[in-house]
Amino acid sequence: MTAVRAAVMTAPGALEVQRFPVPDPEQGAVVMRVRLSGICGTDKHTFRGETIQYAGTPHERRLEYPLICGHENVGVVEAVGGEVLAHDGTPLRPGDRIVPGANVPCGECWYCLNDQPYYLCEELEDYGNSLNVSRPPSLFGGWAELMYLLPGTPIFRVPDGLPDELAVLTEVMSVTHGVETARRVGGFEFGESVVVYGVGPLGLCHLVKSRLLGCGRLIAIDRLGSRLELASLLGATLTLDAAALEPAELVARVVEHTGRGADVVHDCSGVPETFATALRMVRPGGVVVESGAFVDLGPVEINPNRDICTRNVAVIGIGGERATSYAPSLELLDRGRDRLPLDRIVTHRLALEDAREAIEIAQRDGAMKVVLDPAL
């Protein structure tokens, strides 16, 4: 290989395939040959020019173009700069199949030193987001044949029997740590009633984990029929079409199905308006997990007294995945593939030259997880 092909987002709405030199890894770095890279909701926001991320944190920023998107990745080690250890403590070698963490924490700020989620790090770097083409060697996203993994990147081995089409879901599944947190906060062990509001890939992973961990009634809400159909196959006991029902009707149907409102509501829609409705779907004393509002799309109006305080509702905000969630997520996907039809989640596989089409497909009915395959 003399040059590396990559799909570069040069401006909002603009994508083109460019070529870059093959990188030589510095000490502690890894060059990964990308097998599959997912289209994330964040990438769709970036494509539309909605680029304010981590609002209200020490590293709030606006993304800068050009950049190579792609932070949901599975690949194979191509080259290693010296000895680099995987998360399990074993040295990485060319040919090893891996999933890299989506972020690189500094390891030195107060948040890093006090066991906080690594997306709170004050000097965080993000693949496919803050790391862009302006920084050599430019290949900091998975929409490319090769991806450069900086020293300090958490890297996880893929179980031998887990296909790439499931391993590429690891980062998304790692964002679902709110499922466990809600259980701890609410005091649930199993059998809790759960709503997943928005069953795109992120919501679907919340639904899958809730089912695999033994929830009871499981309600999926979305505007796209194909997503609701897949949610049923993956264990939803009720599906509700948000395109046909007003918010008050959705709330009434949830209360009817659960008896008093859901124990847990996961808001994964990616639009702020659903948060207020999620607060009305949860029962008094229940838990609302907000996982879909990663990009700042503006405020919504709520009544803290009526919606939260007098009903004793707990609200948990999720700003990304935890580094400690990757290995358990890989194991959960590996164990769960014989219990649920997880192979239905990846619905489209396209070449780098078709990245624009891939983003458009990912927003249509009939699509769930859309991935780019640089080998095509």
Side-chain angles (χ1 to χ4, degrees), residues 182 185-186 188 193 261-265 279 281-289 307-308 311-316:
V185 171
F188 315 120
S193 58
D263 295 318
V264 180
V265 179
L279 289 170
M281 289 176 176
V282 73
R283 67 162 172 81
V287 182
V288 173
V289 181
D307 298 331
I308 298 175
R311 300 179 63 239
N312 195 38
V313 170
V315 178
I316 299 170

Side-chain angles (χ1 to χ4, degrees), residues 6 49 52 59 65 79 91 96 115 126 139 143 148 171 182 192 201 212 216 221 238 242 244 304 309 312 329 365:
I52 298 177
H59 59 278
Y65 305 90
D96 290 347
D115 195 32
D126 299 325
L139 297 168
W143 299 4
Y148 193 88
E171 191 272 345
E192 72 277 13
L212 290 174
I221 303 174
L238 175 68
C309 294
N312 195 38
S329 294
D365 201 1

Side-chain angles (χ1 to χ4, degrees), residues 276-328:
T277 308
L279 289 170
R280 297 196 292 273
M281 289 176 176
V282 73
R283 67 162 172 81
V287 182
V288 173
V289 181
E290 176 55 60
S291 301
F294 178 66
V295 174
D296 187 357
L297 295 179
V300 294
E301 184 175 325
I302 63 171
N303 183 331
N305 172 268
R306 180 197 64 202
D307 298 331
I308 298 175
C309 294
T310 59
R311 300 179 63 239
N312 195 38
V313 170
V315 178
I316 299 170
I318 303 297
E321 83 285 4
R322 286 179 176 267
T324 52
S325 297
Y326 277 82

Side-chain angles (χ1 to χ4, degrees), residues 118-179:
Y118 77 165
Y119 53 78
L120 294 179
C121 167
E122 294 179 358
E123 302 294 334
L124 189 72
E125 296 279 24
D126 299 325
Y127 291 110
N129 288 287
S130 67
L131 289 163
N132 58 37
V133 170
S134 66
R135 174 173 172 173
S138 302
L139 297 168
F140 295 116
W143 299 4
E145 293 176 298
L146 298 179
M147 182 175 174
Y148 193 88
L149 305 178
L150 292 165
T153 301
I155 298 175
F156 305 86
R157 295 186 180 278
V158 178
D160 290 340
L162 188 67
D164 291 340
E165 289 78 7
L166 294 185
V168 75
L169 302 173
T170 305
E171 191 272 345
V172 192
M173 188 63 78
S174 299
V175 181
T176 66
H177 56 89
V179 173

